[in-house]
Amino acid sequence: MSSRESKAEHIRMIMETEGDAVGDNTRGFNQGRYDSVAKLEDYEELKDEARAIKEDAIERLPELIDEVTETIEENGGTVYIADDAADANEYVATVCEQNDAERLVKSKSMTSEEIEVNEHLESGGTDVVETDLGEWVLQVADEAPSHIVAPAIHKSRAEIATLFNEYFEPEEELETAEELTMFARERLGELIRDADVGMTGANFITADSGTLALVTSEGNARKTVAVPETQIAVAGVEKIVPTVEDLRPFIELIGRSGTGQDITSYISLLTPPLSSPTLDFDDPETPIADDNDREFHLVLIDNGRLAMREDEELKETLYCIRCSACSNTCANFQSVGGHAFGGETYSGGIATGWEAGVHGLDSAAEFNDLCTGCSRCVEACPVEIDIPWINTVVRDRINTGKEPNMEFLVDGLTPDTETSGPDLQKRLFGNFELLAKMGSAFAPLSNWVANAGPVSRLLEEVAGVDDRRDLPAFQRETLVDWFESRDRIPPAEPERKVVLYPDLYTNYMLVDRGKAAVRALEALGVEVLVPPVPGAGRAPLSQGMIDTARSKAERVTDTLDPYVRAGYDVVVIEPSDLAMFRGDYARLLPDGESEPLADNSYEILEYIYGLLANGADASQLQVANGGNTVAYHAHCQQRTMGLDEYSLAVLTECGYDVTTSDVECCGMAGSFGYKEQYYELSMDVGANLETQLRDADADHVIASGTSCTDQIGDLLGEEPEHVVELIAPEEY
């Protein structure tokens, strides 16, 4: 079985066994986030404040480590800086040995999962008990967490009941959620009561006071701290923030971002060693011990983090507050959860940065391609981490250093800037511009050949292009060719002048869509030019081919800069290309070089909305006939940029009754849905969209992106229109 087939089989198995539970829970969390943050008038300001605190803390991390060490030791505790997992585990084991510990109880901690402390202690004879309900369920099941916040999110109530009944054999079978919870509460209460050492993680640690902030939905963490005489806290060094006052924005954001709660059940601020007396459960007459000889150890773990701090591309990962918003909002994660979309410890979008930093590129490589760069997680992240960029950088590093597989189909497709690394599948999709030029030059013959059975099967076998997808149909006459040959007199003294950017799909395949955009703009009095411009670089960037994407960014800005300086606006049909101009180019090009293009580029419906708002006549467009109904799906990057509202406004202005989908992503995501190993996942993601569009039963189904229209066409069996095709006037 090939690696692609093996990955497809694993994804298929996860979708069948865990997908429904993961999907229901993550979508519930995600909707809760939308509802909860909507109540915050200062949501964006809180995010900015939280990010600024993390930026400052990571910048000053060495001095904050020194400060928190001094503070806690002055309080009577001990701080140990562990270089790596082995170092941390050895220290924890030593503390347990010194206290003759037979049992250690733990509250939930992803950092303890990272270092695998349970396995280390148990190998030395110490019984380790997880006291978080979800973690305990997984400990009984001998499974790894599938979610950063809700570790057992992939298990249904019925599955947990079956597990408990088989494992514990209670006198009466457990069935309801209440019965399961009460059983766990009583069982864990007994285990905590007899524990010798308690271990927690820490959501945040304040350097000024040594305070640990624990944000939880259960009371187990407080019991884990209060009952045993010895407490150990394990935390990555990145968890330190300067002051107690700095906790405010994080407390406001973490619950809302992760599970949609306005505030979690327990916010515990502990400044250890605790001053509360210990309890003597064996002496009912004197339950409170006379002495207060509590012991506290903070184990601060490096394990690659300080190297990440020096890595400009991975550094932002350290801003992460482990809220899971990036997982909950990710369409692919909603279908498979962390057992497919995750590495040795971490899961979801931000996991690529964590796994690359603490476990290495091999771990990140196992799931990195499941991030499609849709960018929905950027909006969701409470500290505004550019997660897609981190994923792209890691993908590039995974590519680099590998010898390319120079099969015959790749001859001529290798860009000069990527001399090694990407495999054949990535090279094929990363060099789509060359394929588009060749396909257009030889159309319609190229279309027949590409979709012919033998060629389709060969593409699947050699490059992993799934033969269940029809490849795009190339047009012999490109949009640029059509525009150059048309006989059209530009409007006299136009108020606006526009360069319509001929993206690869519009120029070489969806030419009618480009023509519709030209007609719509000209009908509103705009002078339009469609000059030859290179591809934006989205295709190679999506495959982690950063050098190639950078070279394309340079060529695009060089080509468009004279038009921008001459007063032309740049109008873009494909939202993913506009996202390149407004966002990715700032990372690909030297400081400031991308700003003129970013500041003067607009999405086609955003621009049409601006024209109408400034007096253009909407009756010049194709208006609804008797209140036609529309089912509309916005492109994911379009929504991240906040531009979908312009499409809705223009459609309403033109008299259409619009129903919108709330699906985060259609599942196609450029080349993702064409790849053999991801086809079934892509279609599973699209199933929710299909249901919503069919339920809408509208006169028109429309979308805003090429990937979206391709996917919807496969889901519904009929290609939908782009918004501009619906509203553009008839050909003149």
Side-chain angles (χ1 to χ4, degrees):
M1 182 181 291
S2 71
S3 61
R4 291 195 301 267
E5 291 171 330
S6 177
K7 179 162 284 188
E9 176 62 28
H10 177 60
I11 289 172
R12 188 182 308 116
M13 183 270 291
I14 292 293
M15 287 193 299
E16 291 173 355
T17 58
E18 301 179 4
D20 288 344
V22 170
D24 289 344
N25 285 302
T26 51
R27 281 189 284 272
F29 288 159
N30 197 48
Q31 185 58 51
R33 175 177 61 85
Y34 283 129
D35 296 340
S36 184
V37 301
K39 303 172 188 176
L40 289 175
E41 293 183 2
D42 58 345
Y43 177 52
E44 294 300 328
E45 290 80 2
L46 282 169
K47 288 165 66 177
D48 291 342
E49 184 181 355
R51 181 180 174 89
I53 292 168
K54 289 296 289 185
E55 283 182 342
D56 173 61
I58 298 304
E59 190 65 31
R60 298 197 288 127
L61 189 54
E63 67 180 78
L64 293 181
I65 292 173
D66 291 341
E67 183 180 351
V68 79
T69 299
E70 181 179 348
T71 301
I72 287 177
E73 290 181 348
E74 285 179 355
N75 291 344
T78 302
V79 177
Y80 184 76
I81 313 297
D83 293 334
D84 53 28
D87 189 16
N89 287 337
E90 192 60 40
Y91 182 82
V92 172
T94 299
V95 172
C96 290
E97 290 169 7
Q98 290 172 348
N99 285 274
D100 298 321
E102 296 181 5
R103 176 179 298 146
L104 177 146
V105 289
K106 289 175 68 242
S107 67
K108 183 179 175 300
S109 164
M110 286 305 298
T111 307
S112 70
E113 293 281 350
E114 175 190 321
I115 64 175
E116 298 181 341
V117 68
N118 292 23
E119 293 82 350
H120 184 80
L121 293 177
E122 287 169 348
S123 69
T126 301
D127 180 33
V128 179
V129 177
E130 297 284 356
T131 66
D132 173 84
L133 180 56
E135 290 282 3
W136 190 53
V137 168
L138 296 184
Q139 187 176 32
V140 171
D142 193 23
E143 293 179 13
S146 63
H147 190 272
I148 290 177
V149 169
I153 197 173
H154 58 287
K155 286 194 172 295
S156 67
R157 177 199 52 77
E159 289 174 318
I160 296 172
T162 299
L163 172 68
F164 278 15
N165 288 327
E166 291 178 354
Y167 189 89
F168 295 108
E169 298 181 348
E171 293 182 7
E172 294 185 13
E173 285 205 346
L174 306 169
E175 183 176 350
T176 67
E178 183 179 4
E179 290 170 347
L180 291 166
T181 303
M182 290 306 297
F183 176 83
R185 179 181 179 180
E186 293 174 8
R187 192 73 174 233
L188 288 171
E190 295 172 1
L191 295 170
I192 293 171
R193 188 179 66 184
D194 295 333
D196 302 297
V197 176
M199 176 183 286
T200 70
N203 293 95
F204 308 97
I205 306 168
T206 65
D208 62 342
S209 64
T211 300
L212 308 184
L214 299 176
V215 183
T216 63
S217 294
E218 302 172 22
N220 62 297
R222 292 181 178 179
K223 294 177 182 178
T224 298
V225 169
V227 174
E229 294 185 6
T230 301
Q231 179 195 357
I232 303 172
V234 295
V237 291
E238 84 286 354
K239 296 296 186 72
I240 305 173
V241 296
T243 69
V244 172
E245 288 79 9
D246 290 328
L247 295 174
R248 186 190 71 87
F250 299 108
I251 299 301
E252 290 274 19
L253 291 168
I254 192 168
R256 299 176 194 272
S257 300
T259 55
Q261 297 169 274
D262 292 349
I263 192 167
T264 55
S265 302
Y266 298 90
I267 305 293
S268 304
L269 302 182
L270 310 171
T271 305
L274 299 184
S275 58
S276 61
T278 57
L279 304 179
D280 186 351
F281 291 100
D282 294 326
D283 184 358
E285 301 298 326
T286 312
I288 299 179
D290 293 332
D291 62 345
N292 182 29
D293 190 22
R294 286 187 175 273
E295 185 178 329
F296 173 71
H297 300 263
L298 173 61
V299 183
L300 287 173
I301 299 171
D302 176 1
N303 205 34
R305 287 164 171 80
L306 294 180
M308 292 168 68
R309 177 177 172 270
E310 301 301 320
D311 185 327
E312 285 303 316
E313 306 294 3
L314 288 185
K315 186 176 183 178
E316 275 194 57
T317 306
L318 299 175
Y319 303 166
C320 172
I321 62 172
R322 310 270 179 85
C323 69
S324 80
C326 59
S327 299
N328 300 334
T329 196
C330 173
N332 283 344
F333 190 95
Q334 289 173 3
S335 283
V336 297
H339 287 160
F341 201 149
E344 292 184 36
T345 303
Y346 299 101
S347 59
I350 195 62
T352 287
W354 281 119
E355 292 292 323
V358 305
H359 292 310
L361 290 177
D362 287 345
S363 179
E366 292 298 314
F367 64 95
N368 171 259
D369 285 347
L370 284 170
C371 171
T372 63
C374 77
S375 75
R376 298 296 294 143
C377 56
V378 177
E379 181 185 48
C381 179
V383 282
E384 303 172 328
I385 301 172
D386 191 347
I387 296 171
W389 179 255
I390 292 172
N391 277 276
T392 300
V393 167
V394 172
R395 192 168 301 166
D396 181 68
R397 293 179 183 183
I398 292 168
N399 291 340
T400 301
K402 295 181 181 178
E403 287 302 316
N405 182 11
M406 298 300 290
E407 302 283 356
F408 73 95
L409 280 176
V410 86
D411 287 348
L413 297 181
T414 306
D416 293 338
T417 48
E418 307 287 346
T419 56
S420 67
D423 60 25
L424 177 57
Q425 187 184 66
K426 289 183 178 179
R427 285 184 180 276
L428 189 70
F429 288 115
N431 287 278
F432 181 71
E433 183 170 4
L434 179 57
L435 292 176
K437 289 179 179 178
M438 293 171 59
S440 179
F442 292 101
L445 178 63
S446 56
N447 299 321
W448 179 83
V449 170
N451 288 296
V455 174
S456 180
R457 287 190 291 274
L458 182 63
L459 281 172
E460 181 173 274
E461 181 178 344
V462 175
V465 181
D466 200 288
D467 70 358
R468 287 167 287 188
R469 295 276 193 195
D470 287 333
L471 297 176
F474 299 105
Q475 304 297 316
R476 173 62 68 89
E477 183 182 51
T478 68
L479 178 64
V480 171
D481 292 340
W482 167 80
F483 189 85
E484 288 180 350
S485 64
R486 70 198 284 257
D487 185 14
R488 174 74 173 166
I489 300 174
E493 299 182 359
E495 291 188 15
R496 310 296 301 181
K497 299 187 295 183
V498 156
V499 168
L500 181 67
Y501 175 66
D503 65 85
L504 298 183
Y505 260 84
T506 304
N507 192 38
Y508 294 106
M509 287 155 285
L510 303 172
V511 177
D512 286 343
R513 184 173 298 175
K515 293 178 181 179
V518 172
R519 294 198 307 273
L521 291 169
E522 289 184 341
L524 298 176
V526 176
E527 179 187 337
V528 181
L529 295 180
V530 188
V533 188
R538 172 61 62 187
L541 193 71
S542 70
Q543 309 305 313
M545 298 163 62
I546 292 179
D547 287 343
T548 301
R550 180 174 289 110
S551 70
K552 292 184 180 295
E554 292 167 350
R555 291 168 57 205
V556 168
T557 52
D558 287 345
T559 304
L560 291 177
D561 183 63
Y563 293 101
V564 172
R565 285 191 282 106
Y568 282 81
D569 298 318
V570 177
V571 172
V572 185
I573 298 174
E574 180 57 40
S576 60
D577 285 335
L578 182 64
M580 291 287 290
F581 295 169
R582 289 187 177 179
D584 297 299
Y585 277 20
R587 293 187 178 273
L588 294 170
L589 300 173
D591 287 348
E593 286 194 12
S594 66
E595 291 179 8
L597 179 57
D599 292 343
N600 292 280
S601 296
Y602 305 88
E603 191 258 348
I604 178 68
L605 269 297
E606 175 191 19
Y607 200 78
I608 289 174
Y609 171 85
L611 294 172
L612 297 177
N614 284 280
D617 185 1
S619 67
Q620 299 301 308
L621 301 173
Q622 188 79 0
V623 297
N625 231 341
N628 293 39
T629 57
V630 165
Y632 171 57
H633 176 67
H635 187 279
C636 45
Q637 283 161 328
Q638 180 193 29
R639 279 186 283 175
T640 298
M641 292 184 286
L643 303 179
D644 52 318
E645 62 188 46
Y646 296 113
S647 292
L648 296 174
V650 172
L651 287 166
T652 302
E653 177 92 4
C654 291
Y656 293 96
D657 181 11
V658 185
T659 299
T660 60
S661 82
D662 61 6
V663 174
E664 294 296 320
C665 179
C666 71
M668 191 67 174
S671 64
F672 182 81
Y674 283 100
K675 294 181 178 180
E676 175 190 12
Q677 64 269 41
Y678 303 126
Y679 170 80
E680 289 174 78
L681 172 56
S682 171
M683 296 302 283
D684 186 73
V685 170
N688 291 320
L689 177 58
E690 178 185 4
T691 299
Q692 291 189 16
L693 294 177
R694 291 192 186 280
D695 288 348
D697 192 26
D699 298 321
H700 303 275
V701 175
I702 57 174
S704 294
T706 300
S707 294
C708 307
T709 53
D710 284 352
Q711 176 79 318
I712 293 169
D714 282 355
L715 293 169
L716 301 182
E718 183 177 349
E719 194 79 7
E721 293 179 293
H722 187 281
V723 184
V724 78
E725 293 177 283
L726 180 66
I727 66 167
E730 298 293 337
E731 297 207 29
Y732 34 72

